[in-house]
Amino acid sequence: MSNKTPYYITTAISYVNGAPHLGHAYEDILTDIMARFKRLDGFDVMFLTGTDEHGQKVAKTAEKNGKAPQEFCDEIAQTFIQLKKDLNISNDDFIRTTENRHYEAAKDLWLKIKNAGDIYLDSYAGWYSTREEAFFSEKELKVDEKTGEKRTPNDTEVEWMEESSYFFKLSAYQDKLLAHYEAHPEFIQPASRRNEVISFVKGGLEDLSISRTTFNWGIPVPEDDEHVMYVWLDALTNYMTAIGYPDIESEGFKKYWPADVHVIGKDIIRFHCVFWPAFLMSAGIDLPKQVFAHGFINVDGQKMSKSLGNVVSPTDLIEKYGLDQTRYILAREISHGEDGNFTYSQALNRLNSDLANGLGNLAQRSLSMIYKNCDAKMPARENLTEQDTELLEMCYSVIPKLRDEADKFRFNRVLEEIWRIVYAANAYIDDQAPWTLKKTDHVRMGVVLSVIAETVRCLGIMLQPFMPQSCKILLDQVGVDENQREFSHISGKYALSDGYEVEKPEGVFPRIQIEEDNDA
Ligand code: MSP
């Protein structure tokens, strides 16, 4: 068994009622960057993602499409599986809530909660939003001025529901939840979201309806198959199913539970930070260590919506800019926990200035000079000047700073920190002018070029979580051993040795030429 520290990270599982969009891609990429970062930092990572396939919303959409729910789910789940491949997501498992293993897990959790005395049968009369698969109290709803209709705070429709239902005694958990938030300030991140949850819970919790009888697309309630489980109770359990629950003695569960972090969007905080911990407390299971809620992606300053026609498809972006470029843009433009704005012109500027002119140019001009002027062999790094060691030290000392920012999901700051090195390296090469040294001091020219190549090696290693394919090309070009590409290898001890035969380098980040009128 590995002696690495386990690290378990999950995304929300997506509803299969429509095609994946940029918001889903953003969450996947954000979580993937963290998973890859942790692997490179020496952790034993388990990364889970998947699809949420039950509930009224999916059942209705399947019906509209003239399909049986399972057939419909099978089709749409494939588009999500494909999206992960297209985005080069490094998930270790993909869970679908219609799988057998998940039925077992959800039923077991239900029984544990029931045995704890926290489930009772009654009838529900109240408002439900199918779009959000959530119950709303009268006081939470607003009234549409034009139509007089009641709407949720997120502006989705509600319908009145009256049916027999099992309830979870959520009200009994108010104080325990508040005590948990107090004792574990890191549980809900960022802090702004934490405050939001605390004030919601302080406002009072009502018992939660956790079963439905008016449709049957769900997991049957144990010992009463007139009812199906409320889709959120079913869905949240996925995080445990994938690692072996209900077998709590299984290797996976023992190793990876409690999860280190659930990465979710800000719209589903209540389910993850109130309902989920309360279910687990009731069942006597440890709570996840953290829920990190990211912001939403807007396009050209507006919420993405089909009616506005501004929904950006992740595959279009990949086609237009390239995969790693798409990953880079999403990580760079959106700051931790806040809403982010995507515009084509901003993306284009970033890609050309940071990747083509910044990093790409640095690698290309140094490696092609080595190829042309040093017999395609890595020159020796000797008699180093202060400027040489300063640049190398910048590389060798940066990981703790990156780790600090990454742990808070501040990947834009991680990239800013890395780009300080890119700028310093470009300033160094301009200052040292190896093209002039070529005529005056060939040995010194070699030293300068190999200092840059060593810088490229370090940059290639630290940028792998963001741009895995391009970094692989960069690292192959400078001859880095496949087994020496972890963060611990960013040190002088593993520096490039001289004599390595450099292949004719090819530009990794070409300049992107797109006419302005493509800016949708
Ligand atoms: N099925 C539930 C989650 C269950 S988790 C046990 C769900 N699905 S979803 O398909 O609507 O959303 C999946 C994830 O994508 C959520 O974390 C959601 O916040 C996120 N996003 C959906 N639209 C988004 C944006 N426009 N921007 C960023 N993320 C967004 O909720």
Side-chain angles (χ1 to χ4, degrees):
M1 227 171 111
S2 130
N3 54 6
K4 294 177 172 183
T5 308
Y7 182 84
Y8 182 26
I9 183 167
T10 64
T11 64
I13 50 173
S14 310
Y15 288 127
V16 287
N17 63 313
H21 56 62
L22 199 59
H24 297 117
Y26 173 62
E27 186 168 302
D28 284 340
I29 291 170
L30 184 70
T31 316
D32 186 55
I33 291 172
M34 185 62 116
R36 289 178 184 269
F37 193 99
K38 290 285 175 187
R39 284 192 202 103
L40 291 167
D41 209 14
F43 288 80
D44 171 352
V45 172
M46 165 74 193
F47 169 16
L48 177 69
T49 185
T51 40
D52 185 356
E53 306 191 0
H54 292 126
Q56 203 170 2
K57 171 155 70 176
V58 171
K60 278 188 180 166
T61 319
E63 199 184 314
K64 252 193 236 151
N65 284 274
K67 303 242 158 90
Q70 188 63 62
E71 184 195 357
F72 182 70
C73 290
D74 289 346
E75 243 168 56
I76 307 282
Q78 280 316 314
T79 65
F80 281 90
I81 292 170
Q82 188 56 45
L83 174 72
K84 317 283 165 181
K85 289 192 187 139
D86 293 345
L87 295 171
N88 196 6
I89 300 300
S90 63
N91 52 302
D92 298 289
D93 197 353
F94 186 99
I95 187 158
R96 298 183 53 191
T97 53
T98 47
E99 289 171 57
N100 272 341
R101 58 174 176 164
H102 182 64
Y103 273 58
E104 294 314 309
K107 286 181 173 176
D108 189 89
L109 183 65
W110 177 287
L111 288 173
K112 284 208 170 72
I113 298 174
K114 185 179 172 202
N115 293 339
D118 281 332
I119 292 182
Y120 62 92
L121 185 63
D122 202 340
S123 63
Y124 179 80
W127 297 103
Y128 192 74
S129 158
T130 305
R131 275 275 296 282
E132 296 180 55
E133 297 283 19
F135 303 90
F136 288 89
S137 67
E138 190 80 45
K139 67 173 191 247
E140 285 177 294
L141 299 175
K142 54 181 188 181
V143 178
D144 187 303
E145 278 174 17
K146 282 188 210 132
T147 61
E149 266 177 41
K150 290 186 195 299
R151 315 276 294 178
T152 72
N154 300 319
D155 207 28
T156 64
E157 276 172 29
V158 284
E159 55 183 327
W160 184 256
M161 245 174 50
E162 276 188 41
E163 57 184 308
S164 158
S165 173
Y166 285 98
F167 280 79
F168 169 67
K169 287 187 192 162
L170 183 62
S171 57
Y173 287 88
Q174 181 167 346
D175 293 342
K176 288 179 200 147
L177 286 167
L178 289 170
H180 187 77
Y181 308 145
E182 176 82 17
H184 301 277
E186 72 295 344
F187 178 61
I188 306 169
Q189 286 297 319
S192 52
R193 303 291 171 212
R194 180 169 174 264
N195 297 338
E196 212 176 290
V197 173
I198 292 178
S199 64
F200 171 74
V201 174
K202 280 192 172 155
L205 295 177
E206 286 172 20
D207 289 352
L208 179 69
S209 162
I210 51 164
S211 75
R212 304 285 311 271
T213 50
T214 46
F215 67 95
N216 61 9
W217 183 236
I219 300 182
V221 165
E223 297 154 8
D224 187 352
D225 55 16
E226 293 286 294
H227 293 247
V228 292
M229 283 184 206
Y230 173 40
V231 64
W232 272 100
L233 172 55
D234 154 356
L236 287 159
T237 313
N238 91 86
Y239 300 133
M240 299 200 298
T241 309
I243 51 168
Y245 188 84
D247 182 359
I248 54 174
E249 292 305 321
S250 61
E251 199 187 314
F253 194 80
K254 276 185 15 204
K255 178 150 121 193
Y256 293 117
W257 195 260
D260 288 84
V261 59
H262 296 317
V263 179
I264 59 161
K266 63 176 185 178
D267 55 329
I268 53 174
I269 293 179
R270 190 178 296 186
F271 306 95
H272 283 81
C273 302
V274 183
F275 301 172
W276 183 225
F279 295 151
L280 293 171
M281 281 175 180
S282 167
I285 299 171
D286 287 343
L287 308 194
K289 293 178 206 159
Q290 184 169 96
V291 176
F292 177 81
H294 58 75
F296 262 44
I297 293 213
N298 297 326
V299 171
D300 294 328
Q302 281 178 309
K303 199 174 160 183
M304 252 189 294
S305 88
K306 280 188 198 149
S307 52
L308 287 175
N310 65 347
V311 178
V312 174
S313 132
T315 36
D316 286 354
L317 283 192
I318 295 172
E319 242 166 62
K320 201 171 183 135
Y321 300 131
L323 168 60
D324 280 349
Q325 283 80 351
T326 300
R327 292 174 59 105
Y328 178 79
I329 280 298
L330 293 179
R332 181 67 187 80
E333 291 298 358
I334 291 151
S335 52
H336 141 274
E338 286 159 33
D339 286 352
N341 192 28
F342 175 85
T343 67
Y344 284 100
S345 54
Q346 214 175 318
L348 193 63
N349 286 341
R350 260 285 163 229
L351 292 176
N352 282 335
S353 74
D354 292 4
L355 296 186
N357 297 348
L359 179 62
N361 208 11
L362 177 74
Q364 186 60 15
R365 44 185 189 163
S366 55
L367 296 182
S368 59
M369 271 196 85
I370 294 178
Y371 183 76
K372 280 194 211 135
N373 303 300
C374 308
D375 289 338
K377 288 203 179 61
M378 189 62 66
R381 229 164 299 111
E382 52 198 9
N383 299 325
L384 297 185
T385 65
E386 210 174 295
Q387 283 109 316
D388 303 340
T389 41
E390 219 173 87
L391 181 60
L392 294 174
E393 263 321 301
M394 249 181 125
C395 298
Y396 298 152
S397 63
V398 79
I399 288 295
K401 278 188 229 156
L402 305 188
R403 189 181 285 135
D404 233 42
E405 299 292 2
D407 274 338
K408 300 183 199 113
F409 285 87
R410 294 187 204 264
F411 293 122
N412 59 329
R413 297 247 190 111
V414 171
L415 288 171
E416 273 168 28
E417 215 40 79
I418 296 177
W419 250 260
R420 269 180 221 266
I421 302 176
V422 175
Y423 297 139
N426 271 320
Y428 167 89
I429 199 169
D430 286 342
D431 185 51
Q432 300 291 323
W435 40 90
T436 311
L437 290 170
K438 191 165 86 177
K439 294 170 215 137
T440 57
D441 187 347
H442 209 266
V443 175
R444 177 66 196 154
M445 174 200 74
V447 175
V448 169
L449 292 176
S450 78
V451 167
I452 295 289
E454 171 61 2
T455 305
V456 169
R457 177 186 79 92
C458 297
L459 290 169
I461 294 180
M462 61 185 95
L463 282 167
Q464 290 174 102
F466 301 89
M467 300 185 285
Q469 284 181 345
S470 315
C471 289
K472 181 176 180 333
I473 301 175
L474 279 182
L475 293 172
D476 287 348
Q477 281 183 355
V478 290
V480 180
D481 191 290
E482 296 262 3
N483 298 318
Q484 296 192 350
R485 297 183 177 189
E486 296 194 0
F487 292 162
S488 59
H489 298 112
I490 301 183
S491 102
K493 196 169 146 203
Y494 299 95
L496 294 173
S497 38
D498 46 328
Y500 172 77
E501 284 208 27
V502 179
E503 279 175 29
K504 191 171 192 304
E506 277 171 34
V508 183
F509 301 109
R511 250 194 104 70
I512 300 172
Q513 311 273 2
I514 295 175
E515 294 95 58
E516 280 298 305
D517 59 356
N518 266 0
D519 199 334

